[in-house]
Amino acid sequence: MTQLRPSIVQALVLGIGLLMTLAGVAYGIAMLSGRANTVELLRDRNQRIIERSVERIRGKLEPVRQHLEGLRDRIEHGGLSIDDPKRVGDYLTAMLDGVPQLDAVGVVKKDLSATRAARINGRVYVLQDSLLGVPGTAERMRSGEQMVEALRAKGQTTKLLLWGDLIWEQELRQALVNLRAPLLVQGEFAGGMAALVSLGSLSRALKEDAEGNSWRDGEGQSFILYDDNYVLAHASLMTDEYFLSYEKPLPFLEEIHDPVLHRIWSGRKDSLLARSMMRDQDAHLVEAEGRTWIFLYQKLEGYGERPWLVGRYFPFDEIENEVRRLQFASAIGGVTLVLSLLIAWRLGRIIGRPVRELAAAAHRLQALEFDGPLLQRQRLRELDEAAQAVNAATAALNWFGHYVPRRLVSRLMREGEDAVNLSKQREVTVMFTDIVGFTSLAEHLSAPEVAELLNHHFALLAGHIEADGGVIDKFIGDSVMAVWGAIKRDEDHAKHACRAVLSAAAALAEDNHRRREAGLPALRIRVGLHSGPVVVGNIGAPGRINYTVVGDTVNIAQRLEQLGREHMSAEDDVVVLASQATVALAGLETLPPEIGSIAVKGRAAEVEIYLLAAVPALPPEGGAS
């Protein structure tokens, strides 16, 4: 299965994107945790304020209960007689002095005669009068007697302390919370007693928490509701006029000077965030005054027939700000992620382009193609060093290719060094060429001119040799030795050799024609071709070897080239002699003329020779043939 190999662009985008995503997830978790902690702190802070308010309310009302129980016990056990108004008045006065939050306390006999003590404008007054004309007094007395009788019939205790309905106090001009208890003298119902606490003291209890903070905590507000529709305690009850009376001892919810509190039940708003934050039913959101508020509340029972609702509200903005900061941070994180991916993509493109060029250059080196453009300098040091190294390797291999046959180098790169280390015998065709009269020709040329002439001649021959699969084994002075079928097995080596030689001969004739027209000396050559077995391998000393061919086949090919001088006329530019082995293997359509046989040193049998080609010089333009 092919292994997946991502590109540099993909790797960078994926890697940086993954890192940024992980960082974003970690940051998001931190933000969510921070928001949750902030929400929890806000909620707990306000919940603690409510709990402190409840504690302060109980702290004001429970001492009233304890002192009233003490008064009842004293009367029922004969320590204080309800028929002694003066002593009762003194005791009640002492109660008011001992319980500052107590506004009034009184003892009412069965005939509705009463001894009362009240705190008015900071002073304590004792009253001895009758409550016959006070609305509701007679009804409460009869109700108390009936309750005692009912409990006695059930065998239950009659030591009751009941928080009753609110009582309007005209002199104080406010409603009072009242605690009532029946009085028994010698086991018989004798009347009742009551302790009264003004609602103003409850509002003051809400005004300060246990640390002495002011009423307002930021924009929060505390309150106590009575029966959900009346306001029992609120900051504005201490300062604002609500025109209360016996018929209406408490303001309605919609009358209170607090537009946010007005909407506690009518302005409910649902929110998944709020629900997840509040976790219980004693809280909800309200839309009021163009803002969202959180209401927290707690029921307070045991102080009347109807429960009280102690609550507090504060702006939801404090939490929404956290949410908005989270959303903003998330948006910034998203933008950062996108920018990071774009930067990664751009970096990938910047890095990927030279890397692709390096890969392309390496592929050209592998194919021994040295004609490609050099790699440009790079801004990144490592890439620049790699580019310069590839350029240097290209130059070195290019020079290497001039000295070693490229087919041999290709085979080395493809099959490894072992492919050429072992010598082997192989059927090949060997060619030798030699320039006629080169020594005398070179005497009239300078060294650079000689080199230029030979390079031009060898380039012409090499092009045709390599085009037909041949390999130049070596240059020997002005001679060329080439082989077909040595480096790579070739069953048609003789055919390819003949074709290459004939095309090279025609090209040389044309080149000589141009040289003569230019007034330059022509290069006439002799060529010998022979096919047969050779030894192919690395030949030479350990520090200097050649991958070449050796054997009689090489010697015969060279002997045929030398023999060409006997069969070359002055008009010929090229003469090619080929052995019978080469002609037979080439499968030529027309058999060339046979010259004869020659004896070769070291061989018993003679070698038959054929004149493969005698290429005359081309006539001048328009001249006779």
Side-chain angles (χ1 to χ4, degrees), residues 437-571:
F438 179 76
T439 301
S440 60
L441 177 64
E443 290 177 352
H444 300 88
L445 300 174
S446 64
E449 290 174 334
V450 172
E452 181 181 1
L453 179 64
L454 287 176
N455 288 339
H456 173 77
H457 172 67
F458 291 152
L460 186 149
L461 293 180
H464 292 275
I465 292 169
E466 293 176 354
D468 269 295
V471 175
I472 295 178
D473 185 279
K474 60 179 67 71
F475 297 103
I476 310 170
D478 60 332
S479 300
V480 176
M481 174 184 171
V483 184
W484 281 261
I487 295 176
K488 182 179 180 181
R489 188 178 300 277
D490 182 6
E491 300 297 334
D492 296 323
H493 52 86
K495 178 179 180 181
H496 292 154
C498 293
R499 188 166 61 193
V501 168
L502 293 177
S503 62
L508 183 63
E510 293 179 0
D511 186 65
N512 281 339
H513 178 65
R514 288 190 292 270
R515 292 180 64 82
R516 290 186 181 100
E517 287 186 340
L520 298 174
L523 294 180
R524 304 169 60 235
I525 67 171
R526 301 185 300 271
V527 181
L529 286 174
H530 180 57
S531 300
V534 297
V535 175
V536 182
N538 289 323
I539 308 299
R544 180 67 172 89
I545 61 174
N546 285 328
Y547 189 80
T548 186
V549 296
V550 293
D552 284 346
T553 300
V554 178
N555 297 332
I556 293 173
Q558 186 177 25
R559 181 74 179 87
L560 293 179
E561 173 268 312
Q562 294 171 352
L563 187 63
R565 63 170 55 93
E566 301 175 8
H567 302 278
M568 187 176 191
S569 66
E571 290 80 16

Side-chain angles (χ1 to χ4, degrees), residues 407-420:
R407 292 182 183 274
L408 175 59
V409 177
S410 296
R411 187 177 180 193
L412 278 169
M413 296 175 66
R414 184 175 63 253
E415 301 180 19
E417 186 179 357
D418 291 341
V420 295

Side-chain angles (χ1 to χ4, degrees), residues 77-307:
H77 290 88
L80 181 65
S81 175
I82 60 173
D83 294 324
D84 188 350
K86 184 178 184 306
R87 286 191 64 197
V88 172
D90 292 341
Y91 193 91
L92 298 181
T93 301
M95 282 184 63
L96 289 179
D97 291 337
V99 186
Q101 63 270 28
L102 189 59
D103 289 285
V105 62
V107 175
V108 183
K109 296 170 65 176
K110 192 174 181 179
D111 60 2
L112 298 184
S113 60
T115 300
R116 298 181 292 159
R119 195 191 316 273
I120 302 174
N121 297 326
R123 295 184 62 183
V124 175
Y125 297 90
V126 178
L127 301 174
Q128 296 178 0
D129 55 4
S130 175
L131 301 180
L132 284 174
V134 177
T137 303
E139 290 80 3
R140 282 193 291 270
M141 187 64 69
R142 285 193 296 270
S143 175
E145 185 176 5
Q146 292 171 359
M147 185 181 299
V148 169
E149 295 300 328
L151 290 174
R152 183 178 292 170
K154 295 179 181 180
Q156 299 178 5
T157 179
T158 56
K159 291 189 175 182
L160 299 176
L161 281 174
L162 300 175
W163 291 94
D165 292 335
L166 300 178
I167 298 175
W168 175 257
E169 175 56 53
Q170 186 61 36
E171 294 178 357
L172 298 177
R173 297 194 59 79
Q174 60 179 303
L176 302 175
V177 180
N178 72 95
L179 177 64
R180 305 193 310 272
L183 280 175
L184 300 179
V185 177
Q186 296 179 359
E188 297 295 329
F189 180 77
M193 59 183 177
L196 307 176
V197 179
S198 68
L199 297 183
S201 64
L202 299 183
S203 294
R204 284 190 296 272
L206 296 180
K207 186 176 181 181
E208 297 181 357
D209 59 18
E211 287 78 27
N213 292 335
S214 64
W215 168 263
R216 288 185 176 271
D217 179 18
E219 296 182 83
Q221 182 72 277
S222 297
F223 57 86
I224 301 176
L225 298 185
Y226 181 74
D227 196 26
D228 290 349
N229 295 315
Y230 298 92
V231 181
L232 190 70
H234 188 273
S236 67
L237 291 177
M238 301 172 58
T239 57
D240 300 342
E241 178 62 52
Y242 286 97
F243 304 103
L244 303 178
S245 63
Y246 175 80
E247 291 78 15
K248 192 184 72 170
L250 295 177
F252 289 108
L253 183 62
E254 58 269 17
E255 293 177 338
I256 198 72
H257 299 168
D258 186 338
V260 177
L261 187 57
H262 288 175
R263 303 273 294 169
I264 183 173
W265 310 123
S266 62
R268 283 176 179 263
K269 175 183 177 182
D270 189 31
S271 168
L272 180 61
L273 171 63
R275 279 190 272 118
S276 65
M277 181 208 74
M278 293 181 287
R279 303 191 310 274
D280 53 45
Q281 297 180 352
D282 293 335
H284 65 266
L285 290 185
V286 165
E287 192 78 30
E289 296 295 294
R291 300 173 68 183
T292 302
W293 308 81
I294 292 182
F295 275 81
L296 301 176
Y297 37 85
Q298 177 179 331
K299 281 188 177 182
L300 179 60
E301 297 182 304
Y303 295 102
E305 297 178 358
R306 303 174 186 179

Side-chain angles (χ1 to χ4, degrees), residues 35-48:
R35 189 209 69 180
N37 291 338
T38 301
V39 168
E40 193 67 25
L41 287 174
L42 288 171
R43 184 186 188 280
D44 289 348
R45 182 191 67 186
N46 287 276
Q47 187 64 45
R48 285 195 301 271

